[in-house]
Amino acid sequence: MEFTAIDFENATAQRHTICQIGLVVFDTEKPGKVIGKLDILVQPPNNEYGWRQSLIHGIKAGHTINKPTFAEIWPKIKLYIENRLLIAHNGNSFDFVALRKTLIHYGLEVPDFQTADTYRLYKKGLKPLCEEHEIPLNHHDACSDAYACGILYCKWLEEQKRIEEEKLKALVEGNPFSALSASRKITIESNFPQDLLQVDGITPKEIFFNADGITSNEQELTEEEQEYIDRQ
């Protein structure tokens, strides 16, 4: 399974003014393995920048004066977005919104994709998380931010896998009705009288449960057991 970690930098406070795109494709079968990266500067509408945004990411009009617009590079990046799982840090509030609004601004169809927000998963900012997990970060560089949130998502997946394995282990060790096999043998006391239980060494009785919780008696009744039942 693959997912695409994304990050966008905007030229102004308007969500449709993307000026840098960072895409990093990860392989979840090999946590942390990067399949491919894209780091692209794009010219925002009218190549206009707000000074606050330039102060944050360092990108100015001179950097993108000769760069393609988002609409021009969309065919190149669509492959990594359409029908993909997209990961972004604070994506629900910014990156996923910016992607949709930019596509609409240029009259492009918004494709289907799934999303996961690492800010929602960790409830911390990207910079402190990278410090905590020792992930290299050039903050507010789109490709660096995308890589960092992708690594964080891989770590989250690994932690969820570990938790589920521990739960399953506890279930197996503490519960005889384990779902790991279609049938688990347990030993219970028989309803037969104690004197009858001694016949042919039947002590105690073995009962089997299948995956549906239906009991079945694997052992044939002895003649003495059948005679006792017939007398009741």
Side-chain angles (χ1 to χ4, degrees), residues 7-32:
D7 187 84
F8 301 118
E9 298 299 326
N10 270 23
T12 73
Q14 300 299 311
R15 292 290 191 264
H16 67 275
T17 61
I18 291 174
C19 61
Q20 187 188 17
I21 300 168
L23 300 180
V24 184
V25 182
F26 286 83
D27 182 355
T28 57
E29 299 299 321
K30 299 176 181 178

Side-chain angles (χ1 to χ4, degrees), residues 10 31 48 55-56 87 116 120 156 176 188 197 206:
N10 270 23
E48 293 179 353
L55 188 64
I56 291 171
I87 311 299
R120 296 291 182 91
W156 183 83
I188 64 172
L197 283 177
E206 289 183 335

Side-chain angles (χ1 to χ4, degrees), residues 169-229:
K169 182 179 179 181
L171 180 64
V172 171
E173 292 178 348
N175 186 348
F177 305 102
S178 170
L180 290 180
S181 68
S183 175
R184 282 286 185 187
K185 183 188 295 185
I186 65 168
T187 303
I188 64 172
E189 291 186 0
S190 170
N191 291 323
F192 293 107
Q194 290 299 312
D195 58 343
L196 186 58
L197 283 177
Q198 306 307 316
V199 177
D200 292 335
I202 306 173
T203 177
K205 189 77 173 168
E206 289 183 335
I207 304 295
F208 290 76
F209 288 77
N210 64 20
D212 297 320
I214 302 173
T215 63
S216 61
N217 189 345
E218 188 181 71
Q219 186 172 356
E220 295 289 339
L221 293 176
T222 65
E223 292 182 5
E224 291 85 353
E225 289 174 326
Q226 189 62 56
E227 288 175 4
Y228 173 83
I229 293 173

Side-chain angles (χ1 to χ4, degrees), residues 11-12 14 16-19 42-50 60-62 64-70 105-106:
T12 73
Q14 300 299 311
H16 67 275
T17 61
I18 291 174
C19 61
V42 297
Q43 186 182 122
N46 302 316
N47 203 34
E48 293 179 353
Y49 283 79
K60 299 178 181 179
T64 56
I65 186 64
N66 296 315
K67 299 299 182 181
T69 65
F70 184 92
H105 174 80
Y106 286 104

Side-chain angles (χ1 to χ4, degrees), residues 5 13 16 19 21-22 33 53 71-72 91 104 130 134 143 174 193 198 203:
H16 67 275
C19 61
I21 300 168
K33 181 180 179 181
Q53 286 69 36
E72 290 171 329
I104 292 169
C130 288
E134 299 182 342
C143 197
Q198 306 307 316
T203 177

